[in-house]
Amino acid sequence: MMTLPTSEVELFISCRELIVKDVLSKSDPMCVTSIRQFGEDKWIEYHRTECLENTKDPHFAKSLQMTYRFEEQQPLRFEIYDCDSSSTFLGDHDFIGSVTCQLAQIISLGKIEMKLEPRDKSVTTNPGFIQISVEELPSIKDEVTLKIRGADLDKKNWFWKSDPFLEIYKATENAGYLLVYRSETIKNTLDPDWLEFSIPARKLCNGDHFRTLKFICYDWNSSGDHILIGEFSTDLKTIMEKSPSSFKLMKSKKQNKSGYKGSGDIIFEKCILKPINTFVDYIMGGTQLFCTFAIDFTGSNGDPRNRESLHHISETSMNLYEQAIMSVGAIIENYDSDKQFPVLGFGAQLPGGQVSHEFFVNMNPATPYCDRVNGVLQAYRNFISLVISGTAQLYGPTNFASVINHVAKFASSYTDGSSYFILLIITDGIITDMPQTCKAIVNASKLPMSIIIVGVGTADFSAMEQLDGDTVALTAGGEKATRDIVQFVPFSKFVGGSIPWGDLLAREVLAEIPDQFLNYMKINKIPPKPKSATIYPGFVPFCNPGS
């Protein structure tokens, strides 16, 4: 299935029990929403609702639409004002209260309620509550499933039949056309039967069922000089209304020739429009994401007591390991209900002399979880202090298979779509157990699991690209990975830019997670559950207006 890297969502805003700012009447509330752009520190006003007169429980009709991106932090600030005039200057209106949250928090729950905070923290009066609901815009949630075949196509070769393939183009606003789909080539036939395929309606026709679609059929040639068999134009509505339907391929140069009746037929045996199950659907339906951190404690990182070491702990700045933990973990944390993260280490000699490639960094196997991302950082720093004191030692080699199999064991117990597991491996070295790692990844590709590998330092990570199966599927022992579950990114790629490198890293390494997630659900035919009504822990329980 063609999946969408982003989703358009709509936020609906209401309030209850707003504090009264006017002497003789209730407040006249308005909500102003600000966003903080990716990589920026300042807030920018993004949206204003209408001003509603004389109410403490407003339901704003002017909703907020924006693009949701899984791989980015998307902080939002909602400010409620009591409008005192028609002025557009916010300073002319009375401030009631504000809240700040991540878009991901709203997405994961579908509906939240938060207590408004006054600017003056010494004020004890409750300003009221804001309620925010989210819906994914339905215009991008359809996909079209097509089954197409050809009949009696023109023969374009002297000694054998044609090798036909089909291309689909959509008309653009400037009278041009964009290629949106290309079929496989079927060799030596005049009656091709192409594979059934699905494509998002937004990609096919921008959701516009009347937008012109051009279908062009070619005879494939190895030289790349494909020979036109014929073409025709129609739209999605016509195909749907007449399915199964047939369209005549025409070649413009022959249209005016006597006796020319076309160059064959294209037959639509199936044309079905149905909703796409999106990443948002699953998260709002209660699917939980679980992230495990795996940290490289091999000797190649350098002695932590030296400033040149990748594991050197500074009071003034984060090292690369800390940066990777914080930037990726801060996003994953939004989707984890209990905020408890297991942290594995590999390549170290533990207290007692055992060299391990699979140990809990907090040194507590009975309770291996760290509380939130700050807890992960603290466990990491505590272990480095053990190394500095000589209680533990950076060792080697750099083996990945054990930590991958560790997470895969848990993922294998949750194959029903209720949970999805992410393993973040942070390493400075070249893998020394490549055959075992490849085998572990191929096995894990059948499970609800993704693996992110972040390379820190200056080592040659070219061998890592083999694991990232974006172009060539990973194989081990003759078995091919069911799907691509690995994303490798070298941290050095982001150093020196104007945008904070931690933000860029998070966006890069998390960008493939929604597609990998959806591929697992589609392969295993797992639909999303109905939207959950759970309230985000720590928020005031949601109440209906007037209750």
Side-chain angles (χ1 to χ4, degrees), residues 366-416:
T367 311
Y369 297 98
C370 299
D371 185 35
R372 298 181 177 268
V373 177
N374 286 333
V376 175
L377 289 171
Q378 191 59 53
Y380 165 72
R381 291 164 182 163
N382 290 344
F383 187 81
I384 294 298
S385 68
L386 293 179
V387 175
I388 293 174
S389 68
T391 307
Q393 183 180 345
L394 302 185
Y395 213 79
T398 306
N399 293 348
F400 284 5
S402 293
V403 294
I404 294 172
N405 290 330
H406 177 99
V407 176
K409 179 176 66 176
F410 289 95
S412 65
S413 300
Y414 297 90
T415 57
D416 61 350

Side-chain angles (χ1 to χ4, degrees), residues 313-475:
I313 304 296
S314 169
E315 295 183 358
T316 58
S317 62
M318 288 185 173
N319 64 34
L320 299 185
Y321 281 87
E322 293 173 308
Q323 276 272 47
I325 291 169
M326 179 59 74
S327 58
V328 177
I331 292 179
I332 294 296
E333 185 178 274
N334 290 314
Y335 299 90
D336 194 296
S337 59
D338 61 6
K339 319 298 184 191
Q340 302 296 302
F341 300 106
V343 185
L344 299 171
F346 59 93
Q349 187 179 65
L350 305 181
Q354 176 190 3
V355 176
S356 177
H357 298 289
E358 181 193 348
F359 64 91
F360 292 109
V361 172
N362 69 352
M363 305 306 292
N364 187 358
T367 311
Y369 297 98
C370 299
D371 185 35
R372 298 181 177 268
V373 177
N374 286 333
V376 175
L377 289 171
Q378 191 59 53
Y380 165 72
R381 291 164 182 163
N382 290 344
F383 187 81
I384 294 298
S385 68
L386 293 179
V387 175
I388 293 174
S389 68
T391 307
Q393 183 180 345
L394 302 185
Y395 213 79
T398 306
N399 293 348
F400 284 5
S402 293
V403 294
I404 294 172
N405 290 330
H406 177 99
V407 176
K409 179 176 66 176
F410 289 95
S412 65
S413 300
Y414 297 90
T415 57
D416 61 350
S418 63
S419 305
Y420 195 84
F421 296 80
I422 299 172
L423 172 60
L424 173 63
I425 302 175
I426 312 171
T427 182
D428 85 311
I430 300 172
I431 302 175
T432 53
D433 66 338
M434 182 63 83
Q436 294 87 346
T437 294
C438 290
K439 180 63 176 176
I441 292 173
V442 169
N443 291 338
S445 69
K446 307 180 186 73
L447 302 173
M449 178 176 171
S450 289
I451 302 169
I452 300 167
I453 304 174
V454 178
V456 298
T458 58
D460 180 7
F461 292 112
S462 57
M464 296 276 194
E465 300 295 342
Q466 177 185 344
L467 306 180
D468 192 342
D470 285 341
T471 54
V472 180
L474 183 68
T475 58

Side-chain angles (χ1 to χ4, degrees), residues 135-149:
E135 293 285 344
E136 191 173 18
L137 293 177
S139 60
I140 64 166
K141 291 186 65 176
D142 292 336
E143 73 173 2
V144 182
T145 299
L146 294 169
K147 180 68 177 70
I148 306 174
R149 65 180 177 89

Side-chain angles (χ1 to χ4, degrees), residues 528-547:
K529 295 179 180 178
K531 294 179 181 178
S532 171
T534 306
I535 298 302
Y536 194 83
F539 290 140
V540 178
F542 183 84
C543 297
N544 291 324
S547 63

Side-chain angles (χ1 to χ4, degrees), residues 127-256:
F129 303 87
I130 185 170
Q131 301 166 342
I132 308 167
S133 301
V134 63
E135 293 285 344
E136 191 173 18
L137 293 177
S139 60
I140 64 166
K141 291 186 65 176
D142 292 336
E143 73 173 2
V144 182
T145 299
L146 294 169
K147 180 68 177 70
I148 306 174
R149 65 180 177 89
D152 299 323
L153 302 187
D154 282 355
K155 183 179 179 181
K156 294 297 179 180
N157 301 288
W158 285 103
F159 303 107
W160 55 86
K161 299 176 182 178
S162 297
D163 303 325
F165 68 93
L166 193 65
E167 291 185 341
I168 306 175
Y169 292 79
K170 67 177 177 182
T172 63
E173 300 294 340
N174 58 2
Y177 284 90
L178 292 174
L179 176 67
V180 295
Y181 179 79
R182 178 183 289 115
S183 76
E184 74 281 9
T185 298
I186 301 181
K187 296 295 187 70
N188 196 30
T189 180
L190 301 181
D191 301 293
D193 191 3
W194 291 291
L195 294 175
E196 180 177 308
F197 66 95
S198 297
I199 183 171
R202 183 171 73 173
K203 181 178 178 65
L204 178 66
C205 58
N206 290 54
D208 178 4
H209 295 186
F210 294 93
R211 184 178 292 251
T212 299
L213 299 175
K214 182 184 291 185
F215 293 78
I216 306 179
C217 188
Y218 291 97
D219 172 31
W220 178 88
N221 280 318
S222 58
S223 65
D225 297 326
H226 311 307
I227 302 173
L228 175 66
I229 295 177
E231 62 183 78
F232 66 93
S233 295
T234 184
D235 54 55
L236 181 59
K237 181 174 176 58
T238 301
I239 298 172
M240 292 175 61
E241 287 179 343
K242 296 182 178 180
S243 182
S245 56
S246 177
F247 295 85
K248 186 70 67 176
L249 285 171
M250 304 298 291
K251 204 168 181 180
S252 57
K253 292 182 178 179
K254 292 185 177 181
Q255 279 184 316
N256 296 325

